[in-house]
Amino acid sequence: MTEPRMSEPRTPDLDADRPEQAEAEQHTDARADRILARRRWPQRLRVAEIHSIWRQPAVIAAAAILAVWVLLALLAPVLTDDPIAQSPDLYQPPSAAHWFGTDELGRDVFARVVHGARLSLPLAVVIVAFSLAIGGLVGLLAGYLGRAADEILMRLTDLVFAFPQIILAMAVAAAFGPSTRNAVIALIIVSWPIYARVIRSAVLSIRTSDFLASSRLLGVGPWQALRKDVIPNSVGPAVVLATLELGNAVLMLAALSFLGLGPRPPAAEWGAMIAAGSRDLSIWWVSVFPGLAILTVVLAFNIVGDALRDRLDPRTARGVR
Amino acid sequence: MSQILSIENLAVTLQGDQRVIEDISLEVPEGEIVGIAGESGSGKSLTAAALLGLLPDRSQTSGHAWWRGGAEPRDLLTLDQRSWNRVRGREIAMVFQDATAALHPMLTVGTQITEHMRVHLQLSRRDARRRAVELLDRVRIPDPEASLRSYPHQFSGGMRQRVAIAAALACQPRLLIADEPTTALDVTVQAGILRLLEELRAETGLSVLFITHDLAVLAALTTQAYVFREGRVIESGATEELLFHPRHEYTKTLVAARPQADDWDEPEQVAR
Amino acid sequence: MLLGFLLRRGVITVVLLVGVTLVSFLLIQAVPGDTMSATLSEQALQDPEIVAAYRARWGLDEPLYVQYLVYMRNVLQGDLGVSQQTGRPVLDDLLTYVPATLEIALPAMLLSLVLGVAIGLYAAVKHDRAGDHAVRAGTLIGLSTPPFWLALVVLYVFFYLLGVSPSGGRLSTWIVPPERVTGSVVIDSALAGRWDAAWDAIQHTALPVLVLTVLTVAMLVRFVRSAMLEVLDADYVRAARAKGLPTSRVLTAHVLRAGLVPVITVSGLAFASMLSGTVLVEQIFSWPGVGQYAFRSASALDVPAVLGVSLFVAVVYTVVNLLVDLAYGLIDPRIRLS
């Protein structure tokens, strides 16, 4: 489409290192670009730089929030009442006895919000783990094998990207029938392609880079190169993406439950709780608190993910324009 | 002969206390081409940026850059935004290394040559375009009328650099800073651009600060030269003297690194 | 080359559309048990005639690939199945609801693009300073907020607490709806010269538009910001500044012009976010659009309706992406003129 820019060795004074890959991707595949461009991918995990994110107060706050949530999730049975125990005290506003009030069946909203973390957090981890495994494998294969395999696998990801994410998840969950397991499967189905794209582009940029060529000259076989060069160098983008996607998984799981396609009642799930509270605005506490739970968890993941990306990407970290 | 620009003890610190220019003093006599040579990272491009107030945000400078090309002598390092916009493009213009990157891909050549003429010289659209045609003709772009309506990607690399030079000369600046303008071009095209610059100097009395890492180009074009290394001037003087009788070790290695001395003759003849 | 570009985009779109129907078809196959029992109501299953007609229409006795071809033929004829809930063809249902969705989605889209570009450019110019940090914090919060919860909160605040906004729906109950011409209540009221009804309808759109805009702007701003940062760092912007152009001219003629190209490509994504948003938000505002239809179908496990909606949305989204690509090709002279 466009002439390649002349890649004369630029004077590093004004133009610090530009990742070649961003340049190359610019016009190759407008669609992929559009998806990827939302997030700019770092090329390599630099451990020393990762630690520096702890200098940001926002990251410390986010990590603290996540730690509190994990603790709450672990200690929920000890800390709170039974989240599904009904009582005659229906629709009680927040009080000393019920910090977050009670819902339409007289259940304690605080207990349900805290127990919601026992559902959302592990499920988000499961969704991300499976998506990463599947997407990572597909991306590695596509990037490493190239040619026909690359073409087929990437067209497969195109298919998933042809749907707005939550809409495809909704269709899959509805087709499979509503249950926690099916909601998770649906979210894995809609999530893996982004990992495939990102890992593939990481692999491609390494594959064409000099040090892989030189390791080939040194007689390193393809599998060894994969294990020693390609995989370790794909870790950086994968870590950033996985962190951001943890938040996304929590959001989408809540959305599916809100649509009635997630964990079945009486399970304490944040999205379903919001749906229950949405029927009557006067009982605001039934939906406001689970919403705040989602907001804090997702925001924390996003802050950490964002900070990681900034650290790992020289371009946005540079602060020079 | 009067110096149109005198840099005295310039130092630049980037954000994060990164000191990139230690101490640079340099003079540009009026109507001459002065060269700066040095490898990447020696501070030559940042010196150019400092002279146009285009250093990265939050950079700090010290020293002076006395500019005598305007109505009265001024220290460029102390200008505010408004004064800058009267100096840039009007009194001092710049040509970048990679014309492909330095020309806006979505604006016509005509717009890019005339927009600052209309601001600085308050020319009407028609007058500006008429002058643009003359400029394009002067830098030997074939069919200047039609070229005004074209986009940069429709030109070859060398032609693009000629367009960029035409744009730089639009407001008849006194000094042209050329930051490796021929590095991205192949040798024959390069020679043409160098010849053009020399002609412009001879005809209009334009002063040129020419930045390069190519000693052959330095020899062909410049009368005075400065060798930069790690943010300092390590050697300066008449170009010929500098290249054939280098005193500093670093300059010697630079000169020795050139494959053949014969290379220098060819562009020299072209340029003169 | 422009022709080649158009041709390639066209072919990609057609292939994608075929793939989308394939996904939809496979999802129908994935419905547990007999597809028929999932798609037909109890009553209909009792009727042998209906069952026989159904089997014939969907070619259920044929091998899978024939079934797919039958499915394709039906889809091409606009047959997306029958909704169990409404008993009407899904496509008819959708077409009924589309105008309502457009009435909030189009203004939200427009507002998002304008605000997204303005705020994104502001943040890029203020890179790494207070303004940028504030924008960044705002967008992170926006991206982390569940849309349906945000809808609920604004409804609670503006309707329940402050009473400045209607509770939901497209018109207040005491106002007789205008005659349907375009399907947009606001425009139809205005066409009928009933300005009170038009104003009432606009008030009803305010909150849904606000929520959809907030969600989409957050995403757009981040994209625009990084696109503009890249442009601000480009040589041609430095060259424009070196020419002594006023900052306003550099920003509008140079930065914005180049930065808008990636923004155009991302407007497709904004559209997707808008569509997803309507599914999660319309229900809260009792807004009778495609989103509420999708919500109700999903909640009631009306599988044909849900799959119909998703196929419909995917087709619309794919076509929008094609249009976006074409716009991109027309705007960028490097593609247009080469």
Side-chain angles (χ1 to χ4, degrees):
Chain A
M1 269 182 265
T2 47
E3 251 179 272
R5 260 173 69 161
M6 265 176 242
S7 54
E8 197 63 24
R10 314 177 67 103
T11 45
D13 330 355
L14 286 178
D15 286 66
D17 45 343
R18 276 167 186 268
E20 294 286 274
Q21 152 261 0
E23 206 69 45
E25 259 172 20
Q26 208 108 60
H27 297 288
T28 46
D29 184 348
R31 278 184 51 74
D33 200 42
R34 209 176 305 138
I35 308 276
L36 289 170
R38 280 192 294 176
R39 304 166 173 151
R40 197 168 287 297
W41 304 109
Q43 280 310 294
R44 266 201 249 170
L45 188 75
R46 282 180 237 161
V47 180
E49 295 196 7
I50 283 188
H51 291 305
S52 67
I53 69 168
W54 295 110
R55 272 181 237 144
Q56 298 175 38
V59 173
I60 296 171
I65 289 172
L66 288 177
V68 168
W69 272 115
V70 169
L71 273 178
L72 282 175
L74 289 174
L75 301 176
V78 192
L79 288 176
T80 70
D81 304 342
D82 185 350
I84 55 172
Q86 303 180 9
S87 80
D89 302 333
L90 315 183
Y91 301 131
Q92 295 296 309
S95 64
H98 301 288
W99 292 357
F100 290 0
T102 62
D103 68 4
E104 74 279 7
L105 295 172
R107 297 173 298 197
D108 183 56
V109 174
F110 179 68
R112 290 179 66 73
V113 167
V114 170
H115 275 80
R118 288 172 78 82
L119 214 50
S120 289
L121 294 182
L123 290 182
V125 172
V126 168
I127 291 163
V128 167
F130 274 91
S131 309
L132 178 61
I134 297 169
L137 187 67
V138 170
L140 282 177
L141 287 177
Y144 211 72
L145 297 178
R147 296 166 189 279
D150 185 26
E151 192 65 20
I152 291 169
L153 292 172
M154 286 303 112
R155 293 296 80 82
L156 205 61
T157 66
D158 279 348
L159 275 189
V160 178
F161 282 125
F163 294 82
Q165 232 179 355
I166 191 67
I167 300 217
L168 181 58
M170 174 187 81
V172 174
F176 287 4
S179 72
T180 308
R181 193 199 57 183
N182 288 347
V184 168
I185 292 175
L187 291 180
I188 293 170
I189 288 178
V190 303
S191 304
W192 69 266
I194 181 92
Y195 295 90
R197 288 251 168 109
V198 167
I199 302 288
R200 171 179 172 271
S201 80
V203 173
L204 282 185
S205 69
I206 298 162
R207 219 161 69 101
T208 48
S209 75
D210 289 343
F211 86 98
L212 197 68
S214 58
S215 62
R216 213 173 258 154
L217 279 179
L218 293 172
V220 179
W223 290 108
Q224 206 179 343
L226 185 75
R227 199 167 51 80
K228 287 205 149 170
D229 294 334
V230 177
I231 291 181
N233 283 291
S234 312
V235 167
V239 166
V240 175
L241 181 58
T243 314
L244 292 167
E245 284 288 301
L246 277 172
N248 201 23
V250 170
L251 259 186
M252 287 208 295
L253 185 69
L256 280 187
S257 316
F258 176 77
L259 295 171
L261 297 172
R264 305 307 292 159
E269 205 288 334
W270 293 333
M273 293 167 71
I274 294 174
S278 73
R279 285 171 209 127
D280 185 352
L281 288 177
S282 63
I283 51 163
W284 55 269
W285 56 88
V286 177
S287 43
V288 162
F289 292 112
L292 285 175
I294 300 174
L295 177 57
T296 50
V297 169
V298 177
L299 185 59
F301 280 128
N302 280 341
I303 288 172
V304 176
D306 233 37
L308 276 176
R309 182 182 48 210
D310 272 6
R311 239 4 99 180
L312 296 173
D313 180 2
R315 233 210 249 210
T316 50
R318 213 169 8 133
V320 170
R321 68 155 205 260
Chain B
M1 150 186 3
S2 69
Q3 311 292 343
I4 198 164
L5 174 73
S6 318
I7 303 178
E8 294 168 7
N9 306 106
L10 172 70
V12 175
T13 310
L14 293 185
Q15 184 186 11
D17 283 347
Q18 198 189 342
R19 197 164 176 95
V20 279
I21 295 184
E22 298 282 348
D23 177 9
I24 278 172
S25 297
L26 179 154
E27 308 233 294
V28 181
E30 186 152 14
E32 284 201 33
I33 303 185
V34 172
I36 299 180
E39 54 199 4
S40 336
S42 59
K44 35 190 213 316
S45 289
L46 273 179
T47 303
L51 291 177
L52 281 168
L54 293 177
L55 287 170
D57 280 355
R58 284 173 248 185
S59 320
Q60 294 185 340
T61 53
S62 65
H64 302 282
W66 295 109
W67 169 242
R68 297 185 194 87
E72 57 202 65
R74 271 182 293 185
D75 184 352
L76 293 175
L77 301 182
T78 61
L79 294 189
D80 59 13
Q81 184 66 35
R82 282 179 56 132
S83 323
W84 265 129
N85 281 351
R86 255 170 271 145
V87 173
R88 287 180 193 153
R90 176 80 186 81
E91 297 173 8
I92 305 178
M94 178 149 179
V95 176
F96 292 79
Q97 171 178 344
D98 180 359
T100 312
L103 290 173
H104 199 294
M106 298 172 68
L107 290 173
T108 59
V109 162
T111 305
Q112 301 195 54
I113 297 182
T114 57
E115 55 180 347
H116 50 308
M117 276 198 257
R118 303 192 57 200
V119 172
H120 293 310
L121 310 178
Q122 270 116 39
L123 289 186
S124 70
R125 200 181 147 75
R126 267 183 63 206
D127 291 345
R129 287 186 88 82
R130 192 179 311 134
R131 172 144 171 74
V133 170
E134 290 167 18
L135 283 163
L136 286 178
D137 194 44
R138 178 66 197 82
V139 298
R140 306 224 183 81
I141 298 280
D143 198 358
E145 292 276 356
S147 299
L148 286 184
R149 289 184 298 275
S150 306
Y151 290 90
H153 74 269
Q154 293 167 305
F155 294 87
S156 70
M159 286 295 154
R160 260 175 244 164
Q161 195 57 286
R162 286 167 185 268
V163 168
I165 291 173
L169 297 177
C171 302
Q172 292 173 303
R174 304 286 304 278
L175 173 68
L176 181 69
I177 300 174
D179 187 0
E180 309 214 25
T182 57
T183 310
L185 306 172
D186 55 41
V187 182
T188 45
V189 182
Q190 188 175 341
I193 298 280
L194 296 181
R195 195 188 310 137
L196 176 65
L197 285 176
E198 171 55 30
E199 283 169 12
L200 288 167
R201 181 202 68 81
E203 285 170 23
T204 64
L206 179 73
S207 314
V208 180
L209 186 58
F210 194 96
I211 298 171
T212 184
H213 65 254
D214 188 339
L215 296 186
V217 171
L218 203 66
L221 198 63
T222 66
T223 45
Q224 297 283 315
Y226 292 78
V227 178
F228 280 25
R229 194 189 186 192
E230 290 168 359
R232 292 177 191 279
V233 176
I234 57 162
E235 191 164 357
S236 63
T239 308
E240 243 168 77
E241 184 67 17
L242 198 78
L243 292 181
F244 290 102
H245 309 286
R247 277 164 294 155
H248 196 282
E249 276 308 313
Y250 177 69
T251 318
K252 282 181 191 163
T253 46
L254 272 190
V255 173
R258 284 293 309 168
Q260 293 149 333
D262 298 346
D263 281 2
W264 302 356
D265 300 336
E266 191 243 353
E268 186 165 25
Q269 285 163 359
V270 168
R272 290 281 148 80
Chain C
M1 188 137 167
L2 178 64
L3 200 68
F5 172 78
L6 296 180
L7 215 64
R8 217 175 52 219
R9 287 290 157 219
V11 169
I12 289 175
T13 303
V14 169
V15 171
L16 211 54
L17 285 175
V18 171
V20 161
T21 60
L22 188 62
V23 171
S24 224
F25 173 73
L26 290 176
L27 282 176
I28 293 175
Q29 302 301 313
V31 175
D34 193 349
T35 33
M36 205 162 42
S37 59
T39 48
L40 287 183
S41 66
E42 294 280 334
Q43 250 177 325
L45 280 172
Q46 302 299 320
D47 191 332
E49 256 181 62
I50 293 181
V51 170
Y54 184 89
R55 295 193 80 85
R57 189 162 70 97
W58 294 98
L60 290 189
D61 302 320
E62 310 282 345
L64 207 58
Y65 72 93
V66 178
Q67 286 187 39
Y68 174 64
L69 292 179
V70 171
Y71 170 83
M72 272 287 274
R73 193 193 61 205
N74 289 333
V75 167
L76 284 177
Q77 289 169 352
D79 184 352
L80 300 178
V82 173
S83 160
Q84 293 168 333
Q85 263 195 309
T86 63
R88 305 200 314 148
V90 172
L91 189 68
D92 290 1
D93 276 349
L94 281 172
L95 294 179
T96 318
Y97 296 125
V98 162
T101 294
L102 288 182
E103 191 160 57
I104 50 173
L106 286 185
M109 185 79 188
L110 218 64
L111 210 56
S112 304
L113 286 173
V114 171
L115 288 176
V117 169
I119 301 174
L121 180 60
Y122 168 83
V125 171
K126 297 279 172 201
H127 187 203
D128 225 7
R129 273 171 284 193
D132 185 26
H133 291 307
V135 169
R136 193 164 166 183
T139 57
L140 269 182
I141 292 172
L143 287 179
S144 308
T145 308
F148 42 97
W149 181 76
L150 180 65
L152 209 52
V153 170
V154 298
L155 192 62
Y156 179 75
V157 172
F158 290 101
F159 163 67
Y160 190 82
L161 287 185
L162 302 178
V164 295
S165 155
S167 68
R170 303 179 74 181
L171 264 185
S172 300
T173 42
W174 60 84
I175 291 180
V176 183
E179 197 187 339
R180 181 173 171 136
V181 183
T182 61
S184 153
V185 177
V186 176
I187 295 173
D188 287 353
S189 302
L191 284 179
R194 294 176 49 200
W195 301 107
D196 58 326
W199 175 237
D200 185 72
I202 288 175
Q203 285 179 306
H204 278 78
T205 60
L207 288 189
V209 168
L210 171 74
V211 172
L212 289 179
T213 305
V214 167
L215 296 166
T216 309
V217 156
M219 183 205 84
L220 275 177
V221 164
R222 290 169 69 83
F223 186 89
V224 171
R225 177 183 172 276
S226 70
M228 294 298 176
L229 271 182
E230 197 159 315
V231 173
L232 283 171
D233 204 23
D235 272 359
Y236 53 79
V237 170
R238 203 171 297 130
R241 293 174 67 201
K243 286 198 289 191
L245 296 173
T247 309
S248 60
R249 163 101 193 161
V250 175
L251 286 182
T252 51
H254 294 253
V255 176
L256 212 54
R257 188 179 298 257
L260 279 183
V261 174
V263 171
I264 285 163
T265 66
V266 86
S267 56
L269 262 186
F271 185 73
S273 136
M274 207 63 81
L275 287 172
S276 315
T278 58
V279 170
L280 298 170
V281 159
E282 281 184 359
Q283 170 66 20
I284 305 277
F285 294 113
S286 316
W287 193 263
V290 177
Q292 191 182 39
Y293 180 64
F295 175 89
R296 294 198 166 158
S297 309
S299 307
L301 290 181
D302 185 347
V303 176
V306 170
L307 293 181
V309 171
S310 70
L311 179 62
F312 177 79
V313 166
V315 169
V316 171
Y317 181 37
T318 307
V319 171
V320 164
N321 273 330
L322 174 70
L323 295 178
V324 163
D325 283 347
L326 296 187
Y328 171 75
L330 285 178
I331 283 169
D332 194 331
R334 286 166 292 188
I335 299 175
R336 176 164 33 107
L337 296 177
S338 48

